[in-house]
Amino acid sequence: MKKITLLLFLFQFGSVFAQKETLETKPDTTKVQELQEVQIVGSRNTKRTVVNSAVPIDVIDVKSVTTQSGKVEINELLQYVAPSFNANKQSGSDGADHVDPATLRGMGPDQTLVLINGKRRHQSSLVNLFGTRGRGNTGTDLNAIPASAIKRIEILRDGAAAQYGSDAIAGVINIVLNDNVNEVNGAITYGAYDTHAKGDFLPGTANTHGNRLDENGNGNSIGKDKKFDGNSLKIAANYGVKIGKDGGFVNFTTEYFSKEKTLRPGFDFRKGFGEAEIKSMNFMANLEIPLNKKIKFYAFGGRNDRNTDAYAFTRNDGSRVVESIYPGGYTPRITSNITDNSVAAGFKMETDNGWKIDLSNAYGKNNFDYKIKGTINASLEEASPTSFDAGGFSLSQNTSNLDFSKNFKSVLNGLNFAFGAEYRIERYQIDAGEIGSYATYDTNGVPITDPTTQSAPIDPISGEPRPGGSQGFPGFSPKNEVNETRNSKALYVDTELDVSKEFLVSAALRYENYSDFGNTLNLKYAYRFKLTDQISLRGSWSTGFRAPSLAQIYFNTNFTNFNSSGASEVLLSANDSPVTKGFGIDKLKEEKSNNGSFGLTGTFGHFTATLDGYLINVRDRIVLTGYFDATALNLNVDSAQFFVNGVNTRTTGLDMVFAWKKSYGDSKFGATLVGNINKMEVTKVKNNGLDQETFFGRREIAFLKASAPNSKYGLNLNYSRKKLDTGVAFTRFSEVVLVDYAGMDNVYTAKIVTDATVGYQITKQFKLSIGSNNLFNIYPDKQDESGNTEAGGYWDAVQMGFSGAYYYARLGFKF
């Protein structure tokens, strides 16, 4: 875990310093200095500080950021303050409507490692499908961690698999929990979205016919449009207590968050386009107790319970509609219950001869269960229930670590040597839903087990057989059930040498063995050279890997794919299934990468600048194919798709951070410009003789590139004087081009989004802030009337969002 500290730490130099200066509500030189002297993820050298690291890191003071913005979730927060972090809400993407996929440097959601207090965090059990960003990937659910529990977030923007193992191809995000004591602090935040937009349409709650959806998602209720929707309430509190007299503490956080749906215009087959409803309860604790002068016991963990509700695609007519239940059609709702538990504990000690030892164990489990509402099993006709338990999946991970490190001051200007071992066990499960959620029933209301003697009812209008399963999301059947485990063992060595006061070099080597695919050996080196007291050069080169997730290997399901042409049945076949092998798809293996970076940092009085270029080559990247014709397989499906090591990619880019702050008497000014320029290329499609356009064609490539937008720039300006503080932020999101169902380009031109906030310290205990995200109510470009967008709305889900302006008020408190 400390090894994560080495690389992230090295990556940061100026970027951290710049970011911290800008994000302080009331910039303070002492506070900045304190942050720079904290050990940062990326270096196992406890003597290393941010300003003399060899690699770039963003250090984000979460308390300052959350008090000066309306961002209520971690992904939202990072989207607007970290140069190459991208995340966005989805609509019509099944589970991705409920767990937001996030990326770093244009890589996949599963190519960034997440740590809490330096310990590996488990991933979500969800694998992203359909038109979501990062589809085919699993990722870590950052929104399951309460923002109020976080002291700071450290983002290492550099390949770090040689130090921390799988998933660190793009970098590492380390979340450091609160350790403050003897105070209660928190906030109550309320906000809502403006439903009215400029242009020739009125989003509101209206669909293209001016009809509103009722509580079951039916589009047959006429009513007046709402002025606001997506109303949200967040209540958070944090409290810490001292334990003993030697620096022990325990810190608790609880957080409640509720957000209603947003509803924006969609085409006839998608009358429920918008963000999901969320109700979430979080708890997190962080503890440290000195047992004696040499040994400390620590523990941390938490629980997140989240209930979500999102609209699926509309069933307007045909064999999927039973008129006696839903006259004129209906829009099913995919709801979920997500439970995320984690706990980590360990001992830190220091020997008399200077060795530091850390023994730890971290366990986490993510459960994701589907409940489908406002739906039917059409083959049951009038006898069908309107809600079903569709089953779900879970992922658990247990990681044990033993780490050693020591600083040898007598070797040149200082040598830090670290080594350690890790053992990890993972388990992935899919559980079947109730029988009505997946079965097709015959005319006698009996589940069909023999198609030669049983047949489904015929729709009297269309003359087509009634399909089975819950509409919106068919449940998992016993045939889909999975219960698989694997383990990995790792050994690493990590060194960092100050050759002189000007020159630093570091190197790491990691060996890892996975029970399901074998061995991997990765290395990294980095350097920093001070040209002057103000200017430094830094760079790194590394190899990396990412093991295929258990979900990518074993996930399988049948689902209905909707577009303007109608519905089709699709089989997503597990990697080890006969169907997958019959199409010539090989067994999944690890992704491999080469990462290189070169940077320049400078600090000139009140001004700090960092520029970091990078190159990331990934071989055998795991993706989800397009739909292959499967009608000849006699599986009652039209198409089949698979997870494959399907493409090689090359990503080049530049991260930049420029920060300035200055005080004039009681007035304090700050300005930060952060930016990322990024270019991803698919250098090879490994279709193995299958039709390339179907395997991974223009459409799939466009979705992959949408996770790696060409650029993002953010200008943050703030001013404070005594009890008043204000801030304004301008974020420019670059053009995104997607390919619709008709093979045409959907072009979303670059947009600038403006956020503004004003805060006033009413008393010593209370602070009131008001503000707006997307103040000028900017929307993505409306697409044509063909109705061929992936999400079925007037826009797709792009980085800038699709819900318009958000207005909020926050009352912060501290006692």
Side-chain angles (χ1 to χ4, degrees), residues 124-140:
S124 167
S125 55
L126 174 73
V127 60
N128 296 314
L129 307 174
F130 307 113
T132 181
R133 305 300 166 264
R135 65 173 168 182
N137 298 162
T138 51
T140 302

Side-chain angles (χ1 to χ4, degrees), residues 169-478:
I169 285 178
V172 181
I173 296 174
N174 183 42
I175 295 173
V176 180
L177 299 178
N178 286 331
D179 56 6
N180 54 291
V181 296
N182 295 336
E183 68 176 21
V184 177
N185 63 76
I188 301 171
T189 306
Y190 182 82
Y193 286 94
D194 184 347
T195 64
H196 295 77
K198 301 175 183 178
D200 60 351
F201 61 91
L202 193 67
T205 56
N207 60 39
T208 52
H209 298 299
N211 294 337
R212 292 180 59 199
L213 300 178
D214 65 21
E215 63 180 4
N216 289 317
N218 300 322
N220 55 2
S221 173
I222 308 298
K224 184 179 179 181
D225 293 302
K226 295 180 180 179
K227 187 174 181 180
F228 295 98
D229 68 2
N231 302 51
S232 66
L233 172 67
K234 182 177 179 180
I235 304 172
N238 175 265
Y239 178 61
V241 180
K242 285 185 178 180
I243 298 178
K245 300 180 180 180
D246 299 317
F249 67 88
V250 60
N251 185 280
F252 300 101
T253 302
T254 185
E255 188 174 278
Y256 171 77
F257 176 57
S258 174
K259 184 178 84 69
E260 298 175 357
K261 292 184 182 73
T262 65
L263 192 58
R264 298 296 178 264
F267 298 102
D268 278 351
F269 67 99
R270 190 72 211 285
K271 295 173 184 174
F273 176 77
E275 291 185 17
E277 175 185 315
I278 301 172
K279 293 187 184 300
S280 176
M281 179 63 75
N282 267 311
F283 174 79
M284 186 72 73
N286 186 29
L287 174 147
E288 184 174 291
I289 302 174
L291 301 181
N292 55 43
K293 292 183 178 181
K294 294 291 185 179
I295 302 175
K296 292 181 180 180
F297 170 76
Y298 62 88
F300 55 88
R303 178 182 176 91
N304 172 243
D305 285 296
R306 191 184 324 165
N307 294 303
T308 58
D309 190 327
Y311 286 122
F313 282 71
T314 305
R315 275 65 172 164
N316 288 300
D317 51 32
S319 61
R320 300 169 191 275
V321 177
V322 177
E323 290 288 332
S324 60
I325 301 179
Y326 296 123
Y330 58 102
T331 302
R333 289 153 46 217
I334 302 174
T335 76
S336 68
N337 177 253
I338 304 170
T339 304
D340 201 287
N341 292 298
S342 65
V343 61
F347 296 90
K348 292 180 180 179
M349 67 173 294
E350 185 171 355
T351 65
D352 292 336
N353 59 0
W355 281 100
K356 294 184 177 181
I357 304 171
D358 188 344
L359 174 65
S360 66
N361 190 84
Y363 174 81
K365 185 173 183 179
N366 178 268
N367 291 289
F368 197 122
D369 296 313
Y370 287 100
K371 303 289 188 297
I372 315 304
K373 300 180 180 180
T375 184
I376 55 172
N377 182 321
S379 68
L380 280 171
E381 300 188 297
E382 290 82 0
S384 175
T386 57
S387 64
F388 294 94
D389 179 349
F393 33 73
S394 66
L395 176 70
S396 64
Q397 175 182 288
N398 191 84
T399 306
S400 301
N401 288 86
L402 179 60
D403 303 290
F404 301 84
S405 67
K406 182 178 179 179
N407 191 274
F408 297 89
K409 297 180 181 179
S410 60
V411 179
L412 296 179
N413 276 45
L415 167 69
N416 197 82
F417 180 75
F419 66 94
E422 178 179 285
Y423 180 70
R424 188 166 70 253
I425 302 174
E426 298 173 327
R427 179 183 295 274
Y428 179 69
Q429 295 175 270
I430 297 178
D431 298 313
E434 63 180 285
I435 187 169
S437 72
Y438 61 82
T440 301
Y441 291 81
D442 68 11
T443 52
N444 295 315
V446 177
I448 294 176
T449 57
D450 185 359
T452 63
T453 61
Q454 295 173 284
S455 59
I458 302 298
D459 173 43
I461 299 175
S462 67
E464 299 174 347
R466 297 275 195 192
S470 47
Q471 292 297 307
F473 185 95
F476 295 106
S477 76

Side-chain angles (χ1 to χ4, degrees), residues 408-708:
F408 297 89
K409 297 180 181 179
S410 60
V411 179
L412 296 179
N413 276 45
L415 167 69
N416 197 82
F417 180 75
F419 66 94
E422 178 179 285
Y423 180 70
R424 188 166 70 253
I425 302 174
E426 298 173 327
R427 179 183 295 274
Y428 179 69
Q429 295 175 270
I430 297 178
D431 298 313
E434 63 180 285
I435 187 169
S437 72
Y438 61 82
T440 301
Y441 291 81
D442 68 11
T443 52
N444 295 315
V446 177
I448 294 176
T449 57
D450 185 359
T452 63
T453 61
Q454 295 173 284
S455 59
I458 302 298
D459 173 43
I461 299 175
S462 67
E464 299 174 347
R466 297 275 195 192
S470 47
Q471 292 297 307
F473 185 95
F476 295 106
S477 76
K479 293 181 180 179
N480 300 127
E481 287 190 316
V482 166
N483 188 351
E484 297 288 344
T485 62
R486 75 168 173 204
N487 64 74
S488 68
K489 310 174 190 68
L491 298 171
Y492 73 87
V493 176
D494 200 342
T495 62
E496 190 173 280
L497 175 65
D498 286 287
V499 179
S500 65
K501 292 182 178 180
E502 293 79 23
F503 188 44
L504 158 74
V505 293
S506 66
L509 183 69
R510 185 182 184 96
Y511 168 82
E512 197 142 353
N513 174 269
Y514 278 78
S515 61
D516 54 353
F517 71 79
N519 306 324
T520 178
L521 182 67
N522 292 278
L523 60 93
K524 175 170 184 172
Y525 73 84
Y527 68 90
R528 184 224 64 219
F529 183 75
K530 287 186 177 181
L531 298 176
T532 69
D533 288 341
Q534 291 78 34
I535 302 173
S536 295
L537 296 176
R538 64 185 178 194
S540 68
W541 180 88
S542 65
T543 66
F545 80 101
R546 189 191 71 81
S549 70
L550 290 177
Q552 289 173 324
I553 298 171
Y554 297 109
F555 183 81
N556 67 105
T557 189
N558 288 52
F559 62 89
T560 305
N561 184 52
F562 269 82
N563 58 43
S564 59
S565 301
S568 61
E569 299 300 320
V570 181
L571 167 68
L572 200 169
S573 183
N575 181 248
D576 62 347
S577 75
V579 174
T580 303
K581 294 176 181 177
F583 275 86
I585 305 298
D586 293 330
K587 179 181 177 181
L588 288 181
K589 57 185 177 181
E590 76 274 25
E591 301 172 343
K592 299 176 182 178
S593 71
N594 291 312
N595 294 54
S597 69
F598 178 78
L600 179 68
T601 70
T603 302
F604 310 94
H606 299 283
F607 178 74
T608 302
T610 71
L611 292 169
D612 290 282
Y614 56 88
L615 168 65
I616 307 172
N617 288 318
V618 183
R619 303 183 304 281
D620 302 320
R621 190 163 174 174
I622 298 173
V623 295
L624 191 58
T625 68
Y627 302 143
F628 287 92
D629 183 4
T631 53
L633 299 178
N634 296 319
L635 296 172
N636 296 319
V637 296
D638 303 300
S639 307
Q641 67 176 161
F642 321 96
F643 291 100
V644 293
N645 291 101
V647 298
N648 294 349
T649 62
R650 176 186 298 118
T651 303
T652 55
L654 177 69
D655 287 333
M656 61 194 79
V657 179
F658 302 97
W660 171 85
K661 76 168 187 176
K662 182 72 174 177
S663 297
Y664 298 93
D666 291 333
S667 297
K668 296 182 173 71
F669 297 87
T672 301
L673 174 66
V674 299
N676 171 254
I677 300 171
N678 195 79
K679 181 181 180 182
M680 178 193 289
E681 302 172 273
V682 175
T683 56
K684 186 176 182 179
V685 177
K686 310 176 95 170
N687 53 314
N688 195 28
L690 296 170
D691 177 69
Q692 181 170 321
E693 188 60 30
T694 304
F695 182 85
F696 203 77
R698 286 183 63 245
R699 183 172 160 76
E700 283 71 30
I701 289 173
F703 277 110
L704 185 64
K705 289 185 174 181
S707 297

Side-chain angles (χ1 to χ4, degrees), residues 1 94 122 342 382 553 654 751 759-761 785 802 815:
M1 299 303 113
D94 283 356
H122 64 279
S342 65
E382 290 82 0
I553 298 171
L654 177 69
K751 302 285 185 179
Y760 185 77
Q761 194 75 40
E785 300 294 341
F802 54 82
F815 302 100

